[in-house]
Amino acid sequence: MLDSFAIQTRDLSKTYRDGWFGRRKVPALGGVSLSVNRGEIFGLLGPNGAGKTTMIKILLGLVHKSGGEAEMLGRPAGHRLTRRKIGYLPEHHRIPHHLSGNTALEYYGGLSNIPLREIRRLRPQLLEMVGLARWGQTLVRKYSKGMSQRLGLAQAMLHDPELLILDEPTDGVDPVGRAEIREVLARLKSEGKTVFLNSHLLQEVELVCDRVAILGRGKLRRMDTVDALRRQTSPEAVLTLRADESSVRRLLNGRPVLAAKLLDSEHLRITVEAPDQSALDYWVDLFRQGGISIASVGRREQTLEQAFLDLIMSDDKEGANRPS
């Protein structure tokens, strides 16, 4: 039976050595356990220095782990047979400028031992898929950064991999190009492919990913669906009150609210700080005891970026309070 996970790590750790004779130890990953289901789009997030690049290099077999386990497609990370089933787009990839879009795919396909006839058969549909159908004969030196990025995505898909690892796939791509890449990723998912991507463009991750993992200081801080992550970290509540503004202002009596908006002559929407259930209960009881009817109560939905910043800022505070 095939392993249900495309990627799985258990207590994965990596410590680099630096300084004279490698005496100084620099921890990059500290016991990270995560799993990526087959057929999903999974996002790896974290600030600079969180360990994202180290994790990708371990998964690809480019860096040796210090401890723990890492598997891809049911085999140890870096296994030769597994690497044949993986498409990889590095963050700072460079395609030789003397090549055209067409010959670049021939070059990279040759490195993967794909017959030239097969490359030329697949090339038109791949260039069409990434929005470069009219640019196949154009030299790469005339490509914009976004076009080069899309060509890199085409070469990563050339050998029909089961798993794609994409490092900043929309870096330098304009809004139209990003939308096209999102369509490509959705199509790959519909074909049963697994996509593992690292990106600092959290709005893009929010639009395309099924689940995300957030790394901070080399440790896994949260792994969940985007929707669940936003709900769990939202500290604000929105109440729609059936009352006029002056009545609510008198009842609040100087109590701070985050926002207030008059919807119509009978309804006022207010946003309050309510990080937990007891805080929300306080606001509900306040209005009920004041004789004000509550039409609706809900959590204010955060963006993934807001949720990410909340987690990372709390992580930074913990690090600052930790003894050196």
Side-chain angles (χ1 to χ4, degrees):
M1 180 179 178
L2 287 176
D3 194 318
S4 61
F5 297 119
I7 297 174
Q8 187 173 31
T9 69
R10 291 180 288 272
D11 296 320
L12 185 64
S13 63
K14 176 62 182 179
T15 300
Y16 293 101
R17 293 185 178 274
D18 194 11
W20 288 102
F21 306 108
R23 291 176 180 174
R24 188 167 71 93
K25 296 182 178 180
V26 182
L29 290 176
V32 174
S33 298
L34 60 78
S35 57
V36 178
N37 299 317
R38 289 178 184 261
E40 76 172 339
I41 303 178
F42 190 96
L44 183 65
L45 309 177
N48 291 337
K52 305 186 303 298
T53 298
T54 294
M55 171 166 282
I56 288 176
K57 288 181 177 180
I58 291 174
L59 292 175
L60 292 171
L62 302 176
V63 168
H64 293 293
K65 63 185 182 347
S66 300
E69 298 178 23
E71 295 180 355
M72 289 203 301
L73 303 176
R75 291 191 177 95
H79 193 282
R80 180 172 55 87
L81 295 178
T82 299
R83 284 190 293 189
R84 291 179 178 176
K85 300 178 181 179
I86 296 171
Y88 176 49
L89 174 62
E91 180 180 4
H92 299 297
H93 75 102
R94 293 291 182 269
I95 299 173
H97 283 187
H98 67 277
L99 298 176
S100 66
N102 288 335
T103 56
L105 292 182
E106 292 177 3
Y107 171 71
Y108 287 107
L111 294 178
S112 298
N113 295 319
I114 303 174
L116 182 58
R117 179 180 299 178
E118 181 68 5
I119 296 171
R120 290 176 175 173
R121 184 184 70 83
L122 295 172
R123 192 169 59 192
Q125 65 189 63
L126 284 173
L127 292 176
E128 176 73 30
M129 190 184 300
V130 298
L132 294 175
R134 295 182 298 135
W135 297 88
Q137 296 182 357
T138 303
L139 293 178
V140 171
R141 71 165 61 98
K142 298 182 179 180
Y143 280 24
S144 66
K145 184 178 181 181
M147 291 169 67
S148 295
Q149 197 74 0
R150 287 191 266 169
L151 182 59
L153 180 58
Q155 69 82 20
M157 298 187 295
L158 187 57
H159 59 295
D160 192 28
E162 293 182 28
L163 167 64
L164 284 104
I165 297 179
L166 310 178
D167 200 351
E168 301 290 355
T170 56
D171 185 34
V173 183
D174 62 29
V176 174
R178 291 201 298 269
E180 290 175 346
I181 289 178
R182 287 197 300 269
E183 291 178 4
V184 172
L185 299 184
R187 176 173 172 177
L188 292 171
K189 178 185 173 182
S190 71
E191 295 173 355
K193 310 291 187 185
T194 305
V195 179
F196 183 83
L197 65 88
N198 166 37
S199 177
H200 69 278
L201 297 176
L202 299 186
Q203 291 178 337
E204 291 298 309
V205 172
E206 187 171 10
L207 289 171
V208 75
C209 286
D210 300 303
R211 292 191 302 142
V212 298
I214 297 178
L215 296 184
R217 297 179 181 270
K219 295 185 178 294
L220 180 65
R221 297 306 177 188
R222 186 71 61 84
M223 180 172 65
D224 215 326
T225 65
V226 171
D227 287 342
L229 183 62
R230 289 185 304 195
R231 288 197 303 270
Q232 290 173 9
T233 57
S234 174
E236 301 174 6
V238 179
L239 296 89
T240 301
L241 309 176
R242 202 180 295 272
D244 61 81
E245 189 173 0
S246 58
S247 299
V248 174
R249 188 181 296 112
R250 284 195 300 270
L251 181 61
L252 290 173
N253 193 27
R255 294 179 179 86
V257 298
L258 299 176
K261 181 179 181 180
L262 188 64
L263 301 180
D264 53 43
S265 60
E266 296 181 353
H267 295 87
L268 178 70
R269 179 189 296 154
I270 67 168
T271 303
V272 296
E273 190 79 25
D276 52 37
Q277 188 60 43
S278 62
L280 181 58
D281 291 342
Y282 165 81
W283 289 104
V284 171
D285 292 343
L286 174 69
F287 291 117
R288 283 178 173 170
Q289 292 170 8
I292 292 179
S293 177
I294 302 174
S296 67
V297 179
R299 284 287 177 187
R300 182 179 181 86
E301 187 173 281
Q302 289 188 308
T303 64
L304 178 61
E305 181 176 14
Q306 291 168 326
F308 171 83
L309 290 174
D310 284 346
L311 283 170
I312 296 305
M313 289 175 67
S314 65
D315 184 42
D316 288 344
K317 289 177 182 178
E318 290 177 11
N321 295 329
R322 200 174 294 135
S324 59

